[in-house]
Amino acid sequence: MWAKLALKLFSREFKRGELTVISAAIALAVLTVLTLSMVTDRIGQSIAQKSSAFIAADRVLASNHQLPTEYLQKAQEQSLRTAKITYFDTMLFAGDEMQLGSVKAVSDSYPLKGELKVKTRLTSDAIVTDEVPKTGEVWLSESVFYALNIQVGSQVELGAATFTASRVVAEEPDAPFNVFSSSQRILINERDIDATQVIQPGSRVFYRQLYAGEQSDLDTFYAWLKPQMKENQQWYGVKDRQSPIANSLNRAESFLLLAGLLGIILAAVAIAVSAKRYCERQYDPVAMMKTLGGSRATIRKIYLLHLSLVCTMSVILGLVIGYSLQMIASDYLAQSMGTELPSASAKPWLIAVSTGVICAVMFSIKPLLDLFDIPPLRVLRRNLGDRLLVSKIHLAMSALTVFLLMWLFSNNIKITAILFTSTAFLIVVLFGLSKLIFGGGRKLGLSPGNSWSLAIASIQKRANVNAVQLISFALAIKLLLFLIVLKNDMISDWQSQLPADAPNSFLVNITEAELEPITSFLAERDMPTSDFYPIVRGRVNAVNGELVAREVSLEDNEKKDEEARSGIGRELNLTWRAELPKQNELIDGTWFTENSVAEASLEESMLARLDVELGDTLTFLIGAQSFDAKITSVRKVNWNTLKPNFFIILSPDVLQSFPATYISSVRVNKDQKREFSELLRQYPTVNAIDVESFIKQIRSTIEQVSLAIGFVLAIVVACGALVLISQVQASLGERMQEIVILRTLGAKGRLIKNATLYEFLLLGFTAGLVAAVVSDVALLIVQKQMFELAGKLHPHIWLIGPAAGGLFVACLGYLMIARTMRKNTQGLLRSLG
């Protein structure tokens, strides 16, 4: 019986539009979360797949010792593609010429991701190949051909074997972005390693196993692999390596995650407001049912069924619209990126449905309980039940709901806690400010019959409602300003790191005698360079007289000295310099002076790695010579710049007596390539490292990320606008009553319209002002903590925020009630009835 009545009431209210507000809010939450989740998921997969080319695979297993072949067999059984790489350095001979080069022995399946480009002649264009050197063949980088003075097709000797130099290596997908690594690449087939007889006990060899496939298969394989991994083995992906592309990907991922979390907050606010408004509109029907003998249990069943039906319909509607929107957006983004986006996983669907159901239940349960407590006497005294206050339990439940939804979406408790706490603090501050601002309005001496007076009076009358509206407006504006400014700062930071004239090559191994003629050569041909840095190889041997632990060989069963101080188990590239490099920031201590003697400046991560502080003394070992240097400064280094950077810089007096080679970065335009090649022919011992392809891939990734960020931002802007609409909609009934009263008292239509416009203008201006200040302060924290950007204030948004907030809220609010104001008094009374 009650079910039949519930369905009739539901049908009537649905036709009257009573359920549209809460239905739209739930659908909004679902479609927002689904669209954001699916688009970010698909774009994230696309960027990750494209970026995997930087390591030629999805994942890499690295070791300085031989890796078991069982790993590859197991991976292949789990549908993963595999490849092998072996690195070692050796001499290459051609007639009377010789050259030290870096050998890269690859399996036939290399590379798993990315493209290998070669040239058939030194002067021909690079082409993509899906092959690797055949047995008996060797592919060499251009500089090796110049150093050995040979052409394609010449014979060269590598260890005990003779090879044909059949190709020129132009680009490797996994070329290391390390300017100190050898650019003298020698590419051979792994089946030729034994023939060279180069690898002997004690040889310095590096082994890599490459893996590619579905993420689920990779996760399954790693779960099997992890317990068997040794201390000298490392499993990593592209985002695990310290490089500009890894930093860009991590920043983009953090931004998309942040935007999604803020979108959830806005959607939750819309549902909370709409649920409370819907229940308030049901006070009179509930009172009527109680006077007609309806029991509390029957009424509870009726409205719980209504809630279930609304939730189901809204979730389905939100899923349909959200899926359609993400398809449209993904197609557009795919065309813009020039690639096909992968299919989204099941996670966005789960998160979207969970968001809709959880929001509908958790934000509606307390208003529904209040609805069931409406007294039957309300049919006679219409004000009974109007002042049911929001309980602490409801606030706690709502806060817990938002926190759980953010945690579900981000799967990161730290980011969730930071955003949730900052948002909660913002709400408390805004509520206090709203009380202060609206309370202060009573002291203004405004004349009767004035639109401004009527607007102030309306704000004072609905102080509590307007406080909630102000919080919602300010929160929405704050989040929008926050994301817009953060997006611009991120892209500006990326572009500043990679300007159009960024260096695209490095010159390494320049001797003192070659420094002046090479500098002149580049200057005469207008090839801009960074500073030339001297380099001496050395290691940190002791700290304050205490020896540091050296690198041990697990293969030779050497044991680590547990009592030795932690240090760096390899040689470092040391340099000296009188001035602080431009891409470095001094964060502690003082830089060298003319009178500095035996001083050292450390990069901040090196300071932590060595566990030292200012004033400590480091002992360096270069060959058989040792010397001490006192730490006098700490630097923050921007590793994303395409310029030489160093962990340790020494004062000029320390290293000037040691023989050194020099390094610099240079910008070579396309029409200068031949002249640059002539320089390499003149100085065959100088290594040139081309990073042009690396720069192109970084810029391509940044463009994709920028498109993704722009779309996500558009969704959040739309979500923010809908939150504002839901807030205005919530007060529409009360505003209709005021219009009827004012018209009855003889107020002119122009006075009412202006008063309404001014009221929204004041609310929007106040919300925009508070939002601008709070968002700017929050940006300082988030930029440093989450994005490693230089935090700075943005005074311009302190003007834009109030202006945009006042204009946007005023226009939006006025447009929403314009139809109401066009109705005559009789029509308004019928709508209220």
Side-chain angles (χ1 to χ4, degrees), residues 333-382:
L333 292 173
Q335 292 178 4
S336 301
M337 295 177 180
T339 184
E340 185 176 346
L341 298 182
S343 300
S345 62
K347 184 179 178 181
W349 294 93
L350 176 63
I351 294 176
V353 173
S354 300
T355 299
V357 174
I358 292 173
C359 285
V361 173
M362 297 299 288
F363 291 135
S364 301
I365 191 68
K366 184 57 174 65
L368 279 176
L369 292 176
D370 290 342
L371 178 62
F372 303 151
D373 289 335
I374 294 297
L377 282 177
R378 182 180 169 87
V379 296
L380 299 177
R381 297 176 58 189
R382 296 292 299 277

CSV table of all heavy atoms in Angstrom, one decimal, residues 333-382:
chain,number,residue,atom,x,y,z
A,333,LEU,N,41.0,15.5,-27.9
A,333,LEU,CA,42.4,15.5,-27.4
A,333,LEU,C,43.3,14.5,-28.2
A,333,LEU,O,44.5,14.8,-28.4
A,333,LEU,CB,42.4,15.1,-25.9
A,333,LEU,CG,41.8,16.1,-24.9
A,333,LEU,CD1,41.7,15.5,-23.5
A,333,LEU,CD2,42.6,17.4,-24.9
A,334,ALA,N,42.7,13.4,-28.6
A,334,ALA,CA,43.5,12.4,-29.4
A,334,ALA,C,43.9,13.1,-30.7
A,334,ALA,O,45.0,12.9,-31.2
A,334,ALA,CB,42.6,11.2,-29.6
A,335,GLN,N,43.0,13.8,-31.4
A,335,GLN,CA,43.3,14.5,-32.6
A,335,GLN,C,44.4,15.6,-32.4
A,335,GLN,O,45.3,15.7,-33.2
A,335,GLN,CB,42.1,15.1,-33.2
A,335,GLN,CG,41.0,14.1,-33.7
A,335,GLN,CD,39.8,14.8,-34.3
A,335,GLN,OE1,39.7,16.0,-34.4
A,335,GLN,NE2,38.8,14.0,-34.6
A,336,SER,N,44.3,16.3,-31.3
A,336,SER,CA,45.2,17.3,-31.0
A,336,SER,C,46.6,16.8,-30.7
A,336,SER,O,47.6,17.4,-31.0
A,336,SER,CB,44.7,18.2,-29.8
A,336,SER,OG,43.5,18.8,-30.0
A,337,MET,N,46.6,15.6,-30.0
A,337,MET,CA,47.9,15.0,-29.7
A,337,MET,C,48.5,14.1,-30.8
A,337,MET,O,49.6,13.7,-30.8
A,337,MET,CB,47.7,14.1,-28.4
A,337,MET,CG,47.3,14.8,-27.2
A,337,MET,SD,47.0,13.6,-25.8
A,337,MET,CE,46.6,14.7,-24.5
A,338,GLY,N,47.6,13.9,-31.8
A,338,GLY,CA,48.1,13.0,-32.9
A,338,GLY,C,48.3,11.6,-32.5
A,338,GLY,O,49.2,10.9,-33.0
A,339,THR,N,47.5,11.1,-31.6
A,339,THR,CA,47.6,9.7,-31.1
A,339,THR,C,46.3,9.2,-30.6
A,339,THR,O,45.4,10.0,-30.4
A,339,THR,CB,48.7,9.6,-29.9
A,339,THR,OG1,48.8,8.3,-29.6
A,339,THR,CG2,48.2,10.4,-28.7
A,340,GLU,N,46.2,7.9,-30.6
A,340,GLU,CA,44.9,7.3,-30.1
A,340,GLU,C,45.0,7.0,-28.6
A,340,GLU,O,46.0,6.4,-28.2
A,340,GLU,CB,44.7,6.0,-30.9
A,340,GLU,CG,43.4,5.3,-30.5
A,340,GLU,CD,43.1,4.1,-31.3
A,340,GLU,OE1,43.8,3.9,-32.3
A,340,GLU,OE2,42.2,3.3,-31.0
A,341,LEU,N,44.1,7.5,-27.9
A,341,LEU,CA,44.1,7.3,-26.4
A,341,LEU,C,43.7,5.9,-26.0
A,341,LEU,O,42.8,5.3,-26.6
A,341,LEU,CB,43.2,8.3,-25.7
A,341,LEU,CG,43.5,9.8,-25.9
A,341,LEU,CD1,42.5,10.6,-25.1
A,341,LEU,CD2,44.9,10.1,-25.5
A,342,PRO,N,44.4,5.3,-25.1
A,342,PRO,CA,44.0,3.9,-24.6
A,342,PRO,C,42.6,4.0,-24.0
A,342,PRO,O,42.2,5.0,-23.5
A,342,PRO,CB,45.1,3.6,-23.6
A,342,PRO,CG,46.1,4.6,-23.7
A,342,PRO,CD,45.5,5.8,-24.3
A,343,SER,N,42.0,2.8,-23.8
A,343,SER,CA,40.7,2.7,-23.2
A,343,SER,C,40.9,2.9,-21.7
A,343,SER,O,42.0,2.5,-21.1
A,343,SER,CB,40.1,1.3,-23.4
A,343,SER,OG,39.9,1.1,-24.8
A,344,ALA,N,39.9,3.5,-21.0
A,344,ALA,CA,40.0,3.7,-19.6
A,344,ALA,C,39.8,2.4,-18.8
A,344,ALA,O,39.2,1.4,-19.3
A,344,ALA,CB,39.0,4.7,-19.1
A,345,SER,N,40.3,2.3,-17.6
A,345,SER,CA,40.2,1.2,-16.8
A,345,SER,C,38.8,1.2,-16.1
A,345,SER,O,38.0,2.1,-16.3
A,345,SER,CB,41.3,1.1,-15.7
A,345,SER,OG,41.1,2.3,-14.9
A,346,ALA,N,38.5,0.2,-15.3
A,346,ALA,CA,37.2,0.1,-14.7
A,346,ALA,C,37.1,1.0,-13.4
A,346,ALA,O,36.0,1.3,-12.9
A,346,ALA,CB,36.9,-1.3,-14.2
A,347,LYS,N,38.3,1.5,-13.0
A,347,LYS,CA,38.3,2.3,-11.8
A,347,LYS,C,37.4,3.6,-11.9
A,347,LYS,O,36.7,3.9,-10.9
A,347,LYS,CB,39.7,2.7,-11.4
A,347,LYS,CG,39.9,3.5,-10.1
A,347,LYS,CD,41.3,3.8,-9.8
A,347,LYS,CE,41.4,4.6,-8.6
A,347,LYS,NZ,42.8,5.0,-8.2
A,348,PRO,N,37.4,4.4,-13.0
A,348,PRO,CA,36.6,5.6,-13.0
A,348,PRO,C,35.1,5.2,-12.9
A,348,PRO,O,34.4,6.0,-12.2
A,348,PRO,CB,36.9,6.1,-14.4
A,348,PRO,CG,38.3,5.7,-14.8
A,348,PRO,CD,38.4,4.3,-14.2
A,349,TRP,N,34.6,4.1,-13.4
A,349,TRP,CA,33.2,3.7,-13.3
A,349,TRP,C,32.9,3.5,-11.8
A,349,TRP,O,31.9,3.9,-11.3
A,349,TRP,CB,32.9,2.5,-14.1
A,349,TRP,CG,33.0,2.7,-15.6
A,349,TRP,CD1,34.1,2.5,-16.4
A,349,TRP,CD2,32.0,3.2,-16.4
A,349,TRP,NE1,33.8,2.8,-17.7
A,349,TRP,CE2,32.5,3.3,-17.7
A,349,TRP,CE3,30.7,3.6,-16.2
A,349,TRP,CZ2,31.7,3.7,-18.8
A,349,TRP,CZ3,29.9,4.1,-17.3
A,349,TRP,CH2,30.4,4.1,-18.6
A,350,LEU,N,33.8,2.7,-11.1
A,350,LEU,CA,33.6,2.4,-9.7
A,350,LEU,C,33.6,3.7,-8.9
A,350,LEU,O,32.7,3.8,-8.0
A,350,LEU,CB,34.7,1.5,-9.3
A,350,LEU,CG,34.7,1.1,-7.8
A,350,LEU,CD1,33.4,0.4,-7.4
A,350,LEU,CD2,35.9,0.3,-7.4
A,351,ILE,N,34.5,4.6,-9.2
A,351,ILE,CA,34.6,5.8,-8.4
A,351,ILE,C,33.4,6.7,-8.6
A,351,ILE,O,32.8,7.3,-7.6
A,351,ILE,CB,35.9,6.6,-8.7
A,351,ILE,CG1,37.1,5.8,-8.3
A,351,ILE,CG2,35.9,8.0,-8.1
A,351,ILE,CD1,38.4,6.5,-8.7
A,352,ALA,N,32.9,6.8,-9.8
A,352,ALA,CA,31.8,7.6,-10.2
A,352,ALA,C,30.5,7.1,-9.5
A,352,ALA,O,29.7,7.9,-8.9
A,352,ALA,CB,31.6,7.7,-11.7
A,353,VAL,N,30.2,5.8,-9.6
A,353,VAL,CA,29.0,5.2,-9.0
A,353,VAL,C,29.1,5.4,-7.5
A,353,VAL,O,28.1,5.7,-6.8
A,353,VAL,CB,28.9,3.7,-9.4
A,353,VAL,CG1,27.7,3.1,-8.6
A,353,VAL,CG2,28.6,3.6,-10.9
A,354,SER,N,30.3,5.1,-6.9
A,354,SER,CA,30.4,5.2,-5.4
A,354,SER,C,30.2,6.6,-5.0
A,354,SER,O,29.6,6.9,-4.0
A,354,SER,CB,31.9,4.8,-5.0
A,354,SER,OG,32.1,3.4,-5.4
A,355,THR,N,30.7,7.6,-5.8
A,355,THR,CA,30.5,9.0,-5.4
A,355,THR,C,29.1,9.4,-5.4
A,355,THR,O,28.6,10.0,-4.4
A,355,THR,CB,31.3,9.9,-6.4
A,355,THR,OG1,32.7,9.6,-6.4
A,355,THR,CG2,31.1,11.4,-6.1
A,356,GLY,N,28.3,9.0,-6.4
A,356,GLY,CA,26.9,9.3,-6.5
A,356,GLY,C,26.1,8.7,-5.3
A,356,GLY,O,25.3,9.4,-4.7
A,357,VAL,N,26.3,7.4,-5.1
A,357,VAL,CA,25.6,6.7,-4.0
A,357,VAL,C,26.0,7.2,-2.6
A,357,VAL,O,25.1,7.5,-1.8
A,357,VAL,CB,25.8,5.2,-4.1
A,357,VAL,CG1,25.2,4.5,-2.9
A,357,VAL,CG2,25.3,4.6,-5.4
A,358,ILE,N,27.2,7.4,-2.4
A,358,ILE,CA,27.7,7.8,-1.1
A,358,ILE,C,27.2,9.2,-0.8
A,358,ILE,O,26.7,9.5,0.3
A,358,ILE,CB,29.2,7.7,-1.0
A,358,ILE,CG1,29.7,6.3,-1.0
A,358,ILE,CG2,29.7,8.4,0.3
A,358,ILE,CD1,31.2,6.1,-1.0
A,359,CYS,N,27.3,10.1,-1.8
A,359,CYS,CA,26.9,11.5,-1.6
A,359,CYS,C,25.3,11.5,-1.4
A,359,CYS,O,24.9,12.3,-0.5
A,359,CYS,CB,27.2,12.3,-2.8
A,359,CYS,SG,29.0,12.8,-2.9
A,360,ALA,N,24.6,10.8,-2.2
A,360,ALA,CA,23.1,10.8,-2.0
A,360,ALA,C,22.7,10.4,-0.7
A,360,ALA,O,21.8,10.9,0.0
A,360,ALA,CB,22.5,9.9,-3.1
A,361,VAL,N,23.3,9.3,-0.2
A,361,VAL,CA,23.0,8.8,1.2
A,361,VAL,C,23.5,9.6,2.3
A,361,VAL,O,22.7,10.0,3.2
A,361,VAL,CB,23.5,7.3,1.3
A,361,VAL,CG1,23.2,6.8,2.7
A,361,VAL,CG2,22.8,6.4,0.3
A,362,MET,N,24.8,9.9,2.3
A,362,MET,CA,25.4,10.6,3.4
A,362,MET,C,24.9,12.1,3.6
A,362,MET,O,24.7,12.5,4.7
A,362,MET,CB,26.9,10.6,3.3
A,362,MET,CG,27.4,9.1,3.4
A,362,MET,SD,27.1,8.3,4.9
A,362,MET,CE,28.2,9.2,6.0
A,363,PHE,N,24.7,12.7,2.5
A,363,PHE,CA,24.3,14.1,2.5
A,363,PHE,C,22.7,14.3,2.7
A,363,PHE,O,22.3,15.4,3.0
A,363,PHE,CB,24.7,14.9,1.3
A,363,PHE,CG,26.2,15.1,1.2
A,363,PHE,CD1,26.9,14.9,0.0
A,363,PHE,CD2,26.9,15.5,2.3
A,363,PHE,CE1,28.2,15.1,0.0
A,363,PHE,CE2,28.3,15.7,2.3
A,363,PHE,CZ,29.0,15.4,1.1
A,364,SER,N,22.0,13.2,2.5
A,364,SER,CA,20.5,13.3,2.6
A,364,SER,C,20.0,12.7,3.9
A,364,SER,O,18.9,13.0,4.3
A,364,SER,CB,19.9,12.5,1.4
A,364,SER,OG,20.3,13.1,0.2
A,365,ILE,N,20.8,11.9,4.6
A,365,ILE,CA,20.3,11.2,5.7
A,365,ILE,C,19.9,12.1,6.8
A,365,ILE,O,18.8,11.9,7.4
A,365,ILE,CB,21.3,10.1,6.2
A,365,ILE,CG1,20.7,9.2,7.2
A,365,ILE,CG2,22.6,10.8,6.8
A,365,ILE,CD1,19.7,8.2,6.6
A,366,LYS,N,20.7,13.1,7.2
A,366,LYS,CA,20.3,14.0,8.2
A,366,LYS,C,19.1,14.9,7.9
A,366,LYS,O,18.1,15.1,8.6
A,366,LYS,CB,21.5,14.9,8.7
A,366,LYS,CG,21.2,15.8,9.9
A,366,LYS,CD,20.7,15.0,11.1
A,366,LYS,CE,20.6,15.8,12.3
A,366,LYS,NZ,19.5,16.9,12.2
A,367,PRO,N,19.1,15.5,6.6
A,367,PRO,CA,17.9,16.3,6.3
A,367,PRO,C,16.6,15.4,6.2
A,367,PRO,O,15.6,15.9,6.6
A,367,PRO,CB,18.2,16.8,4.8
A,367,PRO,CG,19.7,16.9,4.8
A,367,PRO,CD,20.2,15.7,5.7
A,368,LEU,N,16.8,14.1,5.9
A,368,LEU,CA,15.6,13.2,5.9
A,368,LEU,C,15.1,13.0,7.3
A,368,LEU,O,13.9,13.0,7.6
A,368,LEU,CB,16.0,11.9,5.2
A,368,LEU,CG,15.9,11.9,3.7
A,368,LEU,CD1,16.4,10.6,3.1
A,368,LEU,CD2,14.5,12.2,3.2
A,369,LEU,N,16.1,12.8,8.2
A,369,LEU,CA,15.7,12.6,9.6
A,369,LEU,C,15.0,13.8,10.2
A,369,LEU,O,14.0,13.7,10.9
A,369,LEU,CB,16.9,12.3,10.5
A,369,LEU,CG,17.6,10.9,10.2
A,369,LEU,CD1,18.9,10.8,11.0
A,369,LEU,CD2,16.7,9.8,10.5
A,370,ASP,N,15.5,15.0,9.8
A,370,ASP,CA,14.8,16.3,10.2
A,370,ASP,C,13.4,16.3,9.5
A,370,ASP,O,12.4,16.8,10.2
A,370,ASP,CB,15.6,17.5,9.7
A,370,ASP,CG,16.9,17.7,10.5
A,370,ASP,OD1,17.0,17.1,11.6
A,370,ASP,OD2,17.8,18.4,10.0
A,371,LEU,N,13.3,15.8,8.3
A,371,LEU,CA,12.0,15.8,7.6
A,371,LEU,C,11.0,15.0,8.4
A,371,LEU,O,9.8,15.3,8.5
A,371,LEU,CB,12.2,15.3,6.2
A,371,LEU,CG,11.0,15.2,5.3
A,371,LEU,CD1,10.3,16.5,5.1
A,371,LEU,CD2,11.3,14.5,4.0
A,372,PHE,N,11.4,13.8,8.9
A,372,PHE,CA,10.5,12.9,9.6
A,372,PHE,C,10.1,13.5,10.9
A,372,PHE,O,9.0,13.1,11.5
A,372,PHE,CB,11.2,11.6,9.9
A,372,PHE,CG,11.7,10.9,8.6
A,372,PHE,CD1,12.8,10.0,8.7
A,372,PHE,CD2,11.1,11.1,7.4
A,372,PHE,CE1,13.3,9.4,7.5
A,372,PHE,CE2,11.5,10.5,6.2
A,372,PHE,CZ,12.6,9.6,6.3
A,373,ASP,N,10.8,14.5,11.5
A,373,ASP,CA,10.4,15.1,12.7
A,373,ASP,C,9.5,16.3,12.6
A,373,ASP,O,9.2,17.0,13.6
A,373,ASP,CB,11.7,15.6,13.5
A,373,ASP,CG,12.5,14.4,14.0
A,373,ASP,OD1,11.9,13.3,14.2
A,373,ASP,OD2,13.8,14.5,14.1
A,374,ILE,N,9.1,16.7,11.4
A,374,ILE,CA,8.3,17.8,11.2
A,374,ILE,C,6.9,17.6,11.9
A,374,ILE,O,6.3,16.5,11.7
A,374,ILE,CB,8.0,18.1,9.7
A,374,ILE,CG1,9.3,18.5,9.0
A,374,ILE,CG2,6.9,19.1,9.5
A,374,ILE,CD1,9.8,19.8,9.5
A,375,PRO,N,6.5,18.5,12.8
A,375,PRO,CA,5.2,18.3,13.5
A,375,PRO,C,4.0,18.5,12.7
A,375,PRO,O,4.0,19.3,11.7
A,375,PRO,CB,5.3,19.4,14.6
A,375,PRO,CG,6.1,20.4,14.0
A,375,PRO,CD,7.1,19.8,13.2
A,376,PRO,N,2.9,17.7,13.0
A,376,PRO,CA,1.6,17.9,12.2
A,376,PRO,C,1.1,19.3,12.2
A,376,PRO,O,0.4,19.8,11.3
A,376,PRO,CB,0.7,16.9,12.8
A,376,PRO,CG,1.6,15.9,13.5
A,376,PRO,CD,2.8,16.7,14.0
A,377,LEU,N,1.4,20.1,13.3
A,377,LEU,CA,0.8,21.4,13.5
A,377,LEU,C,1.4,22.4,12.4
A,377,LEU,O,0.9,23.6,12.4
A,377,LEU,CB,1.2,22.0,14.9
A,377,LEU,CG,0.3,21.5,16.0
A,377,LEU,CD1,0.8,22.0,17.4
A,377,LEU,CD2,-1.1,21.8,15.8
A,378,ARG,N,2.3,22.0,11.6
A,378,ARG,CA,2.9,22.9,10.6
A,378,ARG,C,1.8,23.3,9.6
A,378,ARG,O,1.9,24.3,9.0
A,378,ARG,CB,4.0,22.2,9.9
A,378,ARG,CG,4.7,23.1,8.8
A,378,ARG,CD,5.8,22.5,8.1
A,378,ARG,NE,6.3,23.2,7.0
A,378,ARG,CZ,7.1,24.2,7.0
A,378,ARG,NH1,7.7,24.6,8.1
A,378,ARG,NH2,7.4,24.9,5.9
A,379,VAL,N,0.7,22.4,9.5
A,379,VAL,CA,-0.3,22.8,8.6
A,379,VAL,C,-1.1,24.0,9.0
A,379,VAL,O,-1.7,24.7,8.2
A,379,VAL,CB,-1.3,21.6,8.4
A,379,VAL,CG1,-0.7,20.4,7.8
A,379,VAL,CG2,-2.0,21.2,9.8
A,380,LEU,N,-1.0,24.3,10.3
A,380,LEU,CA,-1.6,25.6,10.9
A,380,LEU,C,-0.6,26.7,11.1
A,380,LEU,O,-0.9,27.8,10.9
A,380,LEU,CB,-2.3,25.2,12.2
A,380,LEU,CG,-3.4,24.2,12.1
A,380,LEU,CD1,-4.0,24.0,13.5
A,380,LEU,CD2,-4.6,24.7,11.2
A,381,ARG,N,0.6,26.2,11.5
A,381,ARG,CA,1.7,27.2,11.8
A,381,ARG,C,2.8,26.9,10.8
A,381,ARG,O,3.7,26.0,11.1
A,381,ARG,CB,2.1,27.2,13.2
A,381,ARG,CG,1.0,27.6,14.2
A,381,ARG,CD,1.5,27.4,15.7
A,381,ARG,NE,2.7,28.2,15.9
A,381,ARG,CZ,3.4,28.1,17.1
A,381,ARG,NH1,3.1,27.2,18.0
A,381,ARG,NH2,4.5,28.8,17.2
A,382,ARG,N,2.9,27.6,9.7
A,382,ARG,CA,3.8,27.3,8.7
A,382,ARG,C,5.3,27.5,9.0
A,382,ARG,O,6.2,27.0,8.3
A,382,ARG,CB,3.5,28.1,7.4
A,382,ARG,CG,2.2,27.9,6.8
A,382,ARG,CD,2.1,26.5,6.2
A,382,ARG,NE,3.0,26.4,5.1
A,382,ARG,CZ,2.8,26.8,3.9
A,382,ARG,NH1,1.7,27.3,3.6
A,382,ARG,NH2,3.8,26.6,3.0
